[in-house]
Amino acid sequence: MSKVLLPSLCELVAPGVALTALLLLPLGPILIPRFYLIFLFVYFTFFLYTQINHVFKFFITTKKMIHNIRTWNLHQKVSTPDAFSTSSGSASPLTARERIVADENSLDDVEASLKIYEDSHYIHTFIIPNYCEPEALLRDTIKRLANHRNARQCYVILLAMEGSEAEHEQKGDNLMNYFKDSFLHFIVTVHPPNLPGESRGKGANVAYAARTGCTELLRRGVERRHIILTVSDSDSAIPELYVKEVDRALAVSEDPYMLLLTPPIFFSRNSFDVPAAVRVTDITWSAMVMSNLSNSRGLAFPCSTYSLSMVLAERVGYWDTDADSVGEDLHMWLKCFFKTDGAARSAPIFVPINLTNVQADGYLNNMYARYIQATRHYNGVADVAYTLRSSFGSSARPSSLMSLLPTADKSSMYISPYYWLDKLIVCVHVLEAHMIPATSGWLMFAAVPVMQLILFPPFSFLAVVEPDSNPILVSEFYSTLWNIVKIITVLLPFPLFATLGIYEYLHRIVDRELFRKAPAEYRTWRNVVDYISLPIAAWMFMTLPSTLACLKRLVKTEQEYIVAKKVFTEDAM
């Protein structure tokens, strides 16, 4: 296929799918009723299957998260009870569940749990990109890292400022002076505005900070193979357990330089201060990220916060900075996967990263701010074309896959002879991530009612299809298929209900046992009333912005760099 034709066709997939979904609603029952009915059956069956699959994966992720949290707490109780009590803010006696775990574990098991979190030789470098973020929020985010026990020995902060932000120098200096003795190194980078070929956003800032910061670390004598880059958001509250689990994953991997370490995201810092529709949107988003982590082939996508070695980042040419790489987290994963011929894989880290919900003054302002954030997130639909081009286009194979991986074994488990299959799976997952939001809202809510109205109008003057042309009336097969489609649409919400039930259970455990929140700050079963706003949230924060993002691919324009509004005070959690 022509090298010119393939990219053009790939670019048309996202807008084509969105347009097709919109046009099929009124035209499908009129022009192609038989095909449309078969299409709805296939679409809804596939959607139901994927949702059931996600429920099971989410349950697996939940179990592993709870296991990691309780193992960590047991380790804390056994190894440093005084420090743990102090950090918790109280004596924090063993919970009933932890007592059961302790009683069931033998002495050997306890000793093994202590060895899990032994210190490593890696230098953890946290890239914190920000633009017009409250200084108090950045100070709180960095302070949480400074409270980790090994921060002064093996943590580096790369505070990635934007040169286009007014008073960025003052903010950077304030934070550097505040934390001058808290970390091994504290480096402030300033991303110059209007660099040729760049599109403003998190990706461009991260790329500049990583290149500049890593160069500075090498100059200061830090070994390249020891540098682990963790990209976070300005509001990412990263637990110490996450870093320990990253160390453990790297230690047990036969090829740590080919790993992207991906944690789940969690929203528990200001969730009671935002509208219910914003809250449930981020809950469902968080649940989708969690279910994605339980992937047996190492094809889990990162979201917001993730880690990788400097060696891997350098191997693939760091982060892309053009307009088509606006979804920096997923795009970087895809770039690593394709640039290494599928050798780079995910290692899930089952420790939640606590984020803040978008918050603005006033209900309507808050809803609008969340919509703006959703439009920015769904601009990542550009990765659909990138994935298809990389999977099916011709590309030059790297001359030496392991040239920068001196400790790697070429028989690594991650270099699969089924790379072609992995590429297909990645394509399906990327299409699912972006095309389902752009189509499901329209088809799930409107397809059956609109088809019912067109084929069986309540008034004769509304009839546009003759009875002889109505396949449901003239064919027993299509009549049965129509009934099956209606039954499936009734079943579609139930996997989501199951996911939300599991999430409510998980949220309480995480708040209580990892974040050590006061009981008054827990979600309770009374909070299930939040989910009444799900239809509004789904349409406003998923269907509409994702559809518009797909359609905008037809007319590429430079996107304005707008960050999500966050209200933050020093005592906020």
Side-chain angles (χ1 to χ4, degrees), residues 359-377:
Q359 185 178 354
D361 296 324
Y363 180 88
L364 293 180
N365 287 338
N366 208 150
M367 295 287 282
Y368 179 71
R370 184 60 182 86
Y371 171 78
I372 293 300
Q373 184 188 51
T375 59
R376 190 179 79 246
H377 288 165

Side-chain angles (χ1 to χ4, degrees), residues 183-198:
F183 300 98
L184 180 63
H185 300 291
F186 195 111
I187 301 171
V188 178
T189 63
V190 181
H191 177 225
N194 304 319
L195 291 178
E198 276 196 355

Side-chain angles (χ1 to χ4, degrees), residues 282-303:
D282 290 332
I283 285 174
T284 53
W285 181 28
S286 173
M288 287 188 289
V289 173
M290 291 183 196
S291 65
N292 144 82
L293 295 182
S294 292
N295 183 295
S296 60
R297 300 185 69 86
L299 303 176
F301 299 153
C303 183

Side-chain angles (χ1 to χ4, degrees), residues 105-135:
N105 280 329
S106 65
L107 181 60
D108 291 340
D109 294 332
V110 174
E111 291 178 350
S113 72
L114 297 179
K115 294 179 181 179
I116 290 176
Y117 302 111
E118 290 180 348
D119 295 337
S120 76
H121 61 280
Y122 292 108
I123 302 299
H124 292 275
T125 303
F126 298 88
I127 304 176
I128 307 176
N130 68 99
Y131 175 64
C132 297
E133 303 283 4
E135 184 176 327

